[in-house]
Amino acid sequence: MQQIINFIIRNKNFLLFLLLFGFSLLFTIQSHSYHKSKFINSANFLTGGVYNSLNNVSNYFNLKSQNRLLSDENKRLRSLLLNNQIKTDSAYVDSLMFDKSYQFYTASIIKNSYSLSNNILTLNKGKNDSIKQDFGVISSKGIIGIVDKTSSNYSTVISILNATISISAKLKKTNHLGSLIWDGDSSEFIQLTDIPKIAPVKIGDTIITSGQSSIFPKGIPIGVIDEFQLDQAENYYEINVKLFNDMTSVEHVYIIENVNKEEIKNLLSNK
Amino acid sequence: MNSIFSIHTIRFIALILIQVLILNHINFLGYINPYIYILFIALFPVKNNRVVLIMLSFILGITIDMFLDTGGIHAGASVFIAYIRPVILKSSFGTIYEHQSVKFNTVDFGSKLTYFALLTILHHFVLFSLEIFSISKIILIFQKTLFSSIFTIIISVVVTIIFTRKSK
């Protein structure tokens, strides 16, 4: 017993180092798997508060460009609204208009990140605004990511520029399904895999979400095909997709809640 | 003792805030960021207890991780350099370190630069290995380590020069 205590006292530096390094490794490995990291995230009171006060100052610098984006979107929505009125005038009933299956919330990004290999963003909305895990996040131009952790006033978002998630996507023209995975290289491009060889792929084709995952509705724009090649087994295409969003300068985003998600989940788990 | 204690507390908080609020938004050429918070570990008094330094480095690293959502990579790298700091001190300062009389204001520039460079390169190598976490991308790890280290070394040397002049 005496010898054990002596050993611990003699090697206390090394043992402390091993212990703390072990902790860091544990946190690192946890952060590599989806939804696992427990307390080391930027949605807590301290870090969220610091980022929020910084954002209060820094968002004055790009007011002009963000305003232009928002007004562009308003213009588009207004034209949609007017077109819809014409439809309802002529005894045309769209049953989807009454059955609202997606709920939208607005939020703004208070911490952006795009240069790491697993990027996580922070938003200024949280549980108090009824934001929950696994809600989708989009901007006016396209897809941004999926909500991960929420605190009462802040939430973290797993960006699509994160090697740990994959999102179901399809070719707009032919409905061939594939999955989006980022290879960690450039913040402008994302990789689309599992598109079968038989699909007619052309440079410049649009990629949209497939609506199969119950997180994102169908048809949210993602990007256009920049280049493609067959994989090693020559069965599937590996496609490089140029994102519509400039991930380095997003600020205002929309959070999407799928109202029927519980129902879909229950159905799938009951089979 | 009291003034040394308060200087290090202020340095600790100031370096975290500068790192998180300014330096992480540089993203020079897409991914190159300086990580100068390791100056706290580099300039920690030599005579003080090693256990205290290792504990403080862990707290420093985990705070940075919390802000950046990076799991435990900064904590791991900081604890690592805090643990092997005596070896680096010995190899860059030699006999002055043996007599336990290293003062960072008075040592000559050459050995100080070696000291910073060794610490920074080791820290960045551990940091990016943990961040990328795959052996098949070893080239990317070396590339990131090299470019970010150059940036960090330049900025930390400039910062130390500015602040030592003032204190004289």
Side-chain angles (χ1 to χ4, degrees):
Chain A
M1 193 63 205
Q2 186 72 32
Q3 278 188 331
I4 294 174
I5 293 171
N6 275 341
F7 174 80
I8 291 175
I9 292 174
R10 227 176 324 121
N11 289 318
K12 64 176 191 294
N13 285 330
F14 182 65
L15 289 174
L16 182 70
F17 163 69
L18 269 192
L19 179 77
L20 294 181
F21 199 74
F23 272 136
S24 326
L25 265 182
L26 185 77
F27 289 144
T28 309
I29 292 165
Q30 269 187 347
S31 78
H32 278 258
S33 55
Y34 188 34
H35 289 337
K36 276 273 182 61
S37 59
K38 298 262 168 12
F39 21 78
I40 310 298
N41 64 65
S42 67
N44 64 35
F45 166 72
L46 175 73
T47 52
V50 170
Y51 277 131
N52 206 17
S53 50
L54 171 75
N55 194 49
N56 281 343
V57 177
S58 67
N59 63 11
Y60 282 104
F61 295 109
N62 40 24
L63 271 183
K64 203 173 173 186
S65 61
Q66 293 296 336
N67 271 341
R68 208 189 56 235
L69 269 180
L70 290 178
S71 70
D72 277 355
E73 186 174 29
N74 276 346
K75 193 181 71 186
R76 198 168 54 79
L77 293 178
R78 203 172 282 270
S79 71
L80 274 179
L81 191 72
L82 286 175
N83 291 341
N84 255 331
Q85 270 177 356
I86 297 166
K87 275 182 189 165
T88 43
D89 278 348
S90 59
Y92 171 88
V93 181
D94 186 354
S95 60
L96 285 172
M97 298 305 293
F98 305 107
D99 181 24
K100 193 168 144 201
S101 54
Y102 292 100
Q103 175 95 37
F104 284 78
Y105 306 89
T106 60
S108 54
I109 293 177
I110 59 173
K111 189 209 88 180
N112 196 358
S113 152
Y114 46 87
S115 56
L116 307 172
S117 56
N118 290 313
N119 294 296
I120 291 177
L121 322 174
T122 312
L123 301 183
N124 65 348
K125 291 275 169 76
K127 275 181 206 138
N128 289 356
D129 311 282
S130 53
I131 306 299
K132 295 195 195 80
Q133 199 174 66
D134 282 337
F135 284 9
V137 181
I138 62 168
S139 79
S140 56
K141 281 184 177 167
I143 185 171
I144 300 279
I146 298 171
V147 173
D148 184 17
K149 294 276 160 347
T150 52
S151 68
S152 49
N153 289 313
Y154 305 101
S155 53
T156 60
V157 174
I158 302 180
S159 164
I160 46 168
L161 302 182
N162 190 318
T164 58
I165 60 166
S166 74
I167 291 166
S168 165
K170 65 178 185 182
L171 297 175
K172 190 179 181 186
K173 220 188 267 175
T174 59
N175 288 345
H176 283 95
L177 289 175
S179 49
L180 281 176
I181 298 168
W182 192 49
D183 65 356
D185 231 16
S186 158
S187 64
E188 275 178 68
F189 296 99
I190 189 164
Q191 281 63 43
L192 179 65
T193 54
D194 296 345
I195 294 278
K197 196 175 157 187
I198 197 168
V201 177
K202 269 209 237 53
I203 287 175
D205 279 0
T206 308
I207 307 291
I208 57 175
T209 55
S210 69
Q212 305 234 334
S213 66
S214 84
I215 294 175
F216 292 104
K218 188 173 152 182
I220 291 176
I222 296 170
V224 292
I225 295 176
D226 189 65
E227 57 175 355
F228 61 91
Q229 64 188 56
L230 283 172
D231 65 358
Q232 283 173 343
E234 303 219 325
N235 287 327
Y236 294 100
Y237 281 115
E238 281 174 349
I239 300 174
N240 221 9
V241 179
K242 187 170 181 7
L243 291 169
F244 286 130
N245 260 325
D246 177 5
M247 294 297 286
T248 60
S249 75
V250 281
E251 187 172 344
H252 294 282
V253 294
Y254 301 97
I255 303 171
I256 307 175
E257 176 186 2
N258 186 347
V259 180
N260 301 326
K261 187 177 198 166
E262 282 302 310
E263 198 180 325
I264 296 171
K265 222 177 182 176
N266 286 341
L267 182 69
L268 289 179
S269 58
N270 277 346
K271 66 182 169 183
Chain B
M1 185 65 207
N2 206 11
S3 79
I4 288 176
F5 185 72
S6 60
I7 283 173
H8 284 280
T9 318
I10 292 168
R11 190 184 278 163
F12 186 89
I13 297 170
L15 280 174
I16 287 178
L17 286 181
I18 290 171
Q19 180 66 47
V20 170
L21 298 183
I22 301 169
L23 296 177
N24 274 314
H25 298 284
I26 291 180
N27 291 320
F28 183 61
L29 296 182
Y31 57 88
I32 303 172
N33 276 335
Y35 294 103
I36 67 154
Y37 68 91
I38 58 167
L39 269 180
F40 176 79
I41 303 168
L43 298 180
F44 199 76
V46 174
K47 282 176 197 165
N48 272 39
N49 200 343
R50 273 179 83 189
V51 175
V52 176
L53 176 62
I54 294 177
M55 292 293 283
L56 282 177
S57 316
F58 182 73
I59 298 169
L60 176 72
I62 210 80
T63 319
I64 301 271
D65 278 324
M66 221 182 263
F67 274 105
L68 302 183
D69 288 302
T70 44
I73 63 173
H74 288 280
S78 305
V79 168
F80 180 71
I81 58 163
Y83 178 69
I84 61 161
R85 193 176 84 133
V87 182
I88 299 171
L89 276 170
K90 205 173 189 176
S91 59
S92 42
F93 294 117
T95 49
I96 321 174
Y97 173 67
E98 303 279 316
H99 298 110
Q100 296 279 310
S101 60
V102 178
K103 284 230 168 64
F104 293 108
N105 290 343
T106 54
V107 291
D108 64 317
F109 184 72
S111 48
K112 200 158 141 184
L113 187 65
T114 333
Y115 172 61
F116 279 151
L118 279 173
L119 265 190
T120 312
I121 290 169
L122 281 171
H123 174 269
H124 284 27
F125 182 69
V126 177
L127 179 72
F128 291 122
S129 309
L130 286 177
E131 186 200 319
I132 295 166
F133 220 73
S134 100
I135 302 214
S136 61
K137 291 187 181 162
I138 190 87
I139 308 271
L140 184 64
I141 297 177
F142 280 125
Q143 197 186 348
K144 278 190 154 186
T145 308
L146 180 69
F147 292 136
S148 289
S149 296
I150 293 170
F151 209 178
T152 309
I153 293 167
I154 291 171
I155 290 192
S156 29
V157 167
V158 169
V159 166
T160 44
I161 287 172
I162 292 170
F163 281 91
T164 43
R165 285 251 170 92
K166 257 179 193 169
S167 67
K168 264 175 194 175

